[in-house]
Amino acid sequence: MISVAIDGPAGAGKSTIAKEVAKKLGWIYIDTGAMYRVVAFYCIENNIDLNNEIKVTEEMENICINLSQINEVQHIFLNERDVTDEIRTAKISNGASLVATYSAVREKLVSLQRILAKRENVIMDGRDIGTVVLPNAELKIFLTASSCERANRRFKEQMQKGIEQPYAEVLEEINKRDELDYKREVSPLKKADDAIEIDTTGYPSNMVVDLVLKKLNEIDKSSK
Ligand code: DC
């Protein structure tokens, strides 16, 4: 099985790139951020205090996450309920960054992610894929972009969905999540030593997709 790890901060373009590369290759795309979002969603819906690590840890045994591809789109299920769209709010983004700092949450989700990567060729995106989840991935990409560019992309995405949120607020949220993701004790967001760093500021996504495909092609040739 071949695995590609794509890591980077919020809004760097990971999912856009990973989805497109997976589509072109006919591989499975696994969005690990969605799994942390599901944990936050479950806690918020069940009035579990997200700041209470012990309580969130206890609840992990009541959370069963499944992924399924429906019409080429990855859907995520919480205890058999499709929550794909519900987990895409700013509140859930912030909650996901918080529960992602808890080691019991990470352990459970990392083991699920590893099981999924064993079954098929995958492109997995997240924060710790190249460093922790799949340290032997054949290709590791670390995507970055300036925080203003990332906030701008999020802002436009929200507008397209009909969500009006001031740009300054989107930027503040991006900075807050960066702070949590980069500085947490357990598996912080970090470029793996053997990852290729790509700064996507000002680059259209198709150029980045082509670059990733080229790198994969080079690996394929050198392994023959
Ligand atoms: O990629 P995303 O924005 O959907 O991720 C939501 C949060 O989940 C992110 O702020 C940090 C956390 N996360 C993580 O800690 N490790 C991962 N592999 C993926 C996401």
Side-chain angles (χ1 to χ4, degrees):
M1 291 303 144
I2 301 178
S3 308
V4 176
I6 303 193
D7 290 301
K14 300 182 299 294
S15 67
T16 308
I17 305 301
K19 269 185 214 161
E20 197 52 32
V21 173
K23 197 170 154 194
K24 292 208 166 181
L25 297 171
W27 292 7
I28 297 292
Y29 161 58
I30 299 171
D31 172 1
T32 63
M35 299 178 183
Y36 292 90
R37 287 172 180 270
V38 166
V39 174
F41 177 83
Y42 173 92
C43 292
I44 291 171
E45 201 177 56
N46 290 284
N47 294 319
I48 315 281
D49 178 6
L50 290 174
N51 290 293
N52 187 336
E53 180 170 356
I54 296 175
K55 196 78 188 84
V56 174
T57 298
E58 275 170 15
E59 290 297 327
M60 287 309 286
E61 65 180 69
N62 299 322
I63 298 176
C64 178
I65 297 174
N66 278 299
L67 301 180
S68 169
Q69 297 276 128
I70 305 174
N71 298 332
E72 291 190 1
V73 177
Q74 184 196 277
H75 283 246
I76 191 154
F77 296 81
L78 161 64
N79 300 334
E80 298 186 10
R81 165 177 159 207
D82 189 341
V83 291
T84 311
D85 295 328
E86 284 163 280
I87 58 169
R88 296 285 151 199
T89 66
K91 189 173 175 191
I92 302 291
S93 302
N94 299 332
S97 285
L98 183 56
V99 296
T101 64
Y102 302 152
S103 52
V105 173
R106 302 205 71 83
E107 270 166 35
K108 177 160 174 176
L109 299 188
V110 167
S111 82
L112 173 61
Q113 291 153 14
R114 286 186 179 142
I115 291 170
L116 294 172
K118 270 199 191 134
R119 289 193 198 145
E120 304 177 66
N121 292 339
V122 295
I123 315 252
M124 195 177 273
D125 82 2
R127 305 294 189 285
D128 59 340
I129 311 304
T131 50
V132 177
V133 182
L134 305 173
N136 298 320
E138 279 72 14
L139 178 64
K140 298 180 186 177
I141 304 285
F142 193 79
L143 284 187
T144 60
S146 70
S147 53
C148 290
E149 167 118 357
R150 291 186 284 125
N152 210 5
R153 288 177 191 166
R154 263 296 131 82
F155 178 70
K156 285 185 186 155
E157 237 172 64
Q158 303 272 69
M159 291 265 280
Q160 277 166 4
K161 285 188 204 158
I163 303 167
E164 275 187 39
Q165 194 185 6
Y167 172 80
E169 210 177 283
V170 179
L171 179 62
E172 196 188 315
E173 272 172 19
I174 288 264
N175 287 332
K176 207 169 121 201
R177 285 174 67 199
D178 277 2
E179 172 93 10
L180 273 172
D181 294 350
Y182 277 109
K183 295 199 178 149
R184 65 170 175 242
E185 261 173 56
V186 211
S187 310
L189 169 59
K190 198 170 127 229
K191 176 186 163 299
D193 292 337
D194 51 351
I196 299 166
E197 182 162 348
I198 306 174
D199 184 343
T200 67
T201 312
Y203 281 95
S205 60
N206 61 329
M207 273 181 72
V208 185
V209 169
D210 287 347
L211 186 60
V212 174
L213 289 171
K214 191 170 152 246
K215 293 283 167 203
L216 260 175
N217 205 8
E218 285 167 13
I219 292 172
D220 191 38
K221 277 190 193 136
S222 67
S223 67
K224 278 179 185 156

